[in-house]
Amino acid sequence: QRAGIASLLRARPARILHVACAVESLAQDLAGLCAAGYRVRAARLCDLFPHTEHTEILTLLQRDEAPTGASQP
């Protein structure tokens, strides 16, 4: 899983749609992605497997294009 995040960071996509089924793994992944310059733009809880106890968290991240040292709103 960490190799997947590292691969994403090397590719530097403008946006990432992250799908997680565990809050703990989402938190770990978001920490790394945000530290690498991505910001959460939206998050939604989704029931991809109806009639089960499982839900997924869809999170849209966007690469922060602000120059280094620029203040954020």
Side-chain angles (χ1 to χ4, degrees):
Q1 186 174 357
R2 300 294 153 233
I5 297 296
S7 181
L8 272 174
L9 293 176
R10 281 191 301 276
R12 293 189 35 84
R15 284 173 283 183
I16 298 170
L17 181 59
H18 185 287
V19 181
C21 59
V23 175
E24 296 82 8
S25 62
L26 174 64
Q28 288 178 342
D29 291 347
L30 288 183
L33 291 166
C34 289
Y38 286 86
R39 300 294 169 251
V40 174
R41 296 299 178 210
R44 298 283 184 267
L45 189 62
C46 186
D47 188 3
L48 295 177
F49 301 100
H51 310 292
T52 71
E53 61 202 41
H54 301 284
T55 56
E56 289 67 44
I57 306 150
L58 305 172
T59 307
L60 177 64
L61 297 108
Q62 186 171 356
R63 193 172 61 233
D64 188 359
E65 296 294 338
T68 304
S71 62
Q72 294 295 317

